């Protein structure tokens, strides 16, 4: 197996907004950084985000990623396409098994680093939705009520129950519309009597017949199909997919996890494993682009301060300056 003999200051795994922001900070701190990205950032699915500061007209997800990548390149950094298959500690260094995107026969390269920052995000748990990517791109299926609830003001909103706090998202969406319907995801209702009272008090309709699938009509509007044979039209659907954090690399090293495999970190993004950090959706907390970039700034600055000093070498004197000194 080939090995990169160079030891990086930090290996960043994940090239979404959190990973790219951390890399930008660390390169501006003159740190040697390897950023590996598999290309699965959820940000690529977002047609336009109106919830990220500084873009009053909104910004497409791919454009924001492109801007961050260009900014990283401005400071001498780059994204290494590929996947980290394994992470371990050997002789005081982190060692990662890296398969480049263009590797022949999955050939593995070893990346060594003093610290590691995980920005690997989450994997969604799906519902059967017709033409999933097209529906998300069109805005008829949406993934984050906090991100874009304002954008669906007064629309007919459909929401699926979630395993944790099954009515919470439907009640949250009543902030933005008086027409909200909650659909039961599972074969049997998990709502308590108190849940039903809260829905009634807020004026949220509840369909307890299990949701089987979602199709799109000619206008790209979602149509929910339930087990009782009924069809329910809406303007927008929030499937509340459920998710599992991509935290396996850290958990294997002993990092603490919580619900949905999310990593437990301190205020600097540090896990229980010395030198191992995590930011963004893979950690416990609010899944937002702005949160991930803020966590990246804090974690990157902490990593820089904890690493051996990066002392700037004195600039060589120019011939003209030497002549004047003589």
């Amino acid at each position: 197996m080939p090995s990169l003999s160079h030891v990086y200051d930090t290996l960043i795994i994940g090239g979404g907004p959190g990973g790219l922001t951390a890399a930008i900070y660390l390169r501006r701190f003159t740190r040697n950084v390897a950023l590996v990205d598999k290309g699965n950032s959820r940000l690529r699915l977002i047609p336009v985000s109106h919830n990220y500061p500084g873009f009053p007209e909104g910004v497409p997800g791919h454009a924001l990623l492109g801007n961050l990548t260009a900014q990283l390149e401005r400071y001498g950094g780059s994204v290494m396409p590929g996947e980290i298959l394994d992470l371990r500690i050997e002789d005081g260094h982190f060692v990662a098994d890296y398969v480049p995107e263009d590797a022949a026969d999955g050939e593995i390269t070893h990346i060594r680093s003093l610290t590691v920052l995980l920005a690997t995000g989450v994997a969604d748990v799906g519902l059967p939705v017709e033409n999933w990517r097209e529906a998300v791109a069109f805005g008829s299926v949406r993934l984050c009520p906090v991100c874009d609830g304002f954008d669906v003001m007064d629309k007919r909103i459909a929401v699926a129950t979630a395993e944790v706090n099954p009515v919470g998202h439907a009640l949250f969406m009543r902030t933005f519309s008086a027409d909200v319907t909650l659909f039961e995801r599972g074969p049997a209702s998990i709502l308590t009597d108190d849940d039903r009272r809260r829905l009634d008090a807020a004026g949220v309709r509840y369909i307890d017949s299990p949701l089987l699938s979602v199709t799109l009509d000619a206008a790209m509007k979602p149509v929910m199909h339930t087990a009782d044979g009924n069809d329910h039209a809406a303007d927008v659907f929030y499937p509340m997919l459920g998710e599992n954090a991509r935290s396996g690399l850290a958990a294997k090293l002993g990092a603490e996890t919580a619900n949905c495999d999310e990593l437990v970190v301190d205020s600097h993004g540090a896990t229980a494993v010395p030198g191992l950090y995590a930011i963004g959706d893979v950690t416990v907390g609010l899944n937002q682009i702005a949160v991930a970039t803020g966590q990246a700034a804090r974690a990157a600055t902490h990593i820089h301060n904890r690493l051996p000093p990066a002392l700037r070498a004195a600039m060589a004197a120019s011939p003209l300056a030497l002549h004047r000194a003589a």
Side-chain angles (χ1 to χ4, degrees):
M1 295 180 183
S3 178
L4 298 180
S5 58
H6 176 76
V7 177
Y8 288 91
D9 288 321
T10 305
L11 165 63
I12 299 174
I13 306 174
L20 286 165
T21 299
I24 290 167
Y25 268 73
L26 287 165
R27 281 302 302 145
R28 285 175 55 85
F29 294 145
T30 72
R31 293 297 183 178
N32 295 314
V33 175
L35 191 161
V36 174
D37 181 52
K38 191 178 178 181
N40 286 338
S41 174
R42 293 174 93 198
L43 185 55
R44 295 186 187 279
L45 295 174
I46 299 176
V48 180
S49 173
H50 296 93
N51 201 44
Y52 190 71
F55 294 91
E57 302 303 321
V59 57
H62 68 85
L64 182 55
L65 287 173
N67 288 348
L68 289 166
T69 301
Q71 188 172 357
L72 174 60
E73 292 171 349
R74 183 181 184 91
Y75 301 116
S78 62
V79 176
M80 300 165 60
E83 184 176 3
I84 300 297
L85 298 180
D86 187 49
L87 183 65
R88 57 194 175 276
I89 300 173
E90 295 178 358
D91 300 325
H93 293 154
F94 290 95
V95 180
D97 290 348
Y98 166 54
V99 179
E101 186 177 66
D102 58 357
D105 301 322
E107 187 176 35
I108 293 175
T109 297
H110 294 155
I111 298 177
R112 304 177 69 86
S113 64
L114 298 177
T115 58
V116 171
L117 187 150
L118 264 67
T120 44
V122 296
D124 292 315
V125 179
L127 270 173
V129 177
E130 180 185 45
N131 297 327
W132 165 258
R133 288 188 174 273
E134 293 85 348
V136 173
F138 191 80
S140 53
V141 172
R142 294 174 178 258
L143 305 179
C144 177
V146 174
C147 303
D148 53 31
F150 184 87
D151 301 330
V152 297
M153 194 76 70
D154 294 326
K155 301 288 187 181
R156 296 174 300 165
I157 300 172
V159 184
T161 58
E163 290 185 9
V164 179
N165 190 12
V167 303
H169 291 102
L171 295 174
F172 181 84
M173 293 311 297
R174 277 290 283 115
T175 299
F176 309 105
S177 176
D179 192 335
V180 178
T181 303
L182 178 65
F183 289 86
E184 181 55 60
R185 177 192 302 271
S189 176
I190 59 174
L191 269 61
T192 65
D193 290 341
D194 183 60
D195 289 332
R196 294 171 184 270
R197 283 192 291 269
R198 292 168 66 198
L199 292 176
D200 288 341
V204 174
R205 289 185 297 276
Y206 173 57
I207 307 297
D208 60 2
S209 181
L211 179 62
L212 298 181
S213 64
V214 180
T215 59
L216 303 173
D217 65 17
M220 289 291 288
K221 299 289 182 66
V223 180
M224 278 56 64
H225 307 285
T226 49
D228 57 9
N230 288 323
D231 301 329
H232 310 266
D235 295 314
V236 61
F237 174 52
Y238 286 85
M240 306 321 303
L241 297 169
E243 60 198 30
N244 291 311
R246 298 188 181 103
S247 59
L249 294 171
K252 179 185 173 184
L253 292 178
E256 181 184 355
T257 60
N259 291 333
C260 303
D261 298 328
E262 292 177 328
L263 291 170
V264 178
V265 297
D266 69 11
S267 61
H268 300 290
T271 71
V273 180
L276 180 63
Y277 296 78
I279 58 173
D281 293 358
V282 73
T283 65
V284 174
L286 181 64
N287 293 354
Q288 292 284 286
I289 303 170
V291 171
T293 55
Q295 290 174 341
R298 178 173 288 182
T301 303
H302 185 73
I303 289 170
H304 170 67
N305 289 333
R306 287 299 182 94
L307 285 167
L311 303 178
R312 187 73 170 172
M315 294 183 63
S318 67
L320 178 60
L322 291 174
H323 175 75
R324 288 175 176 171

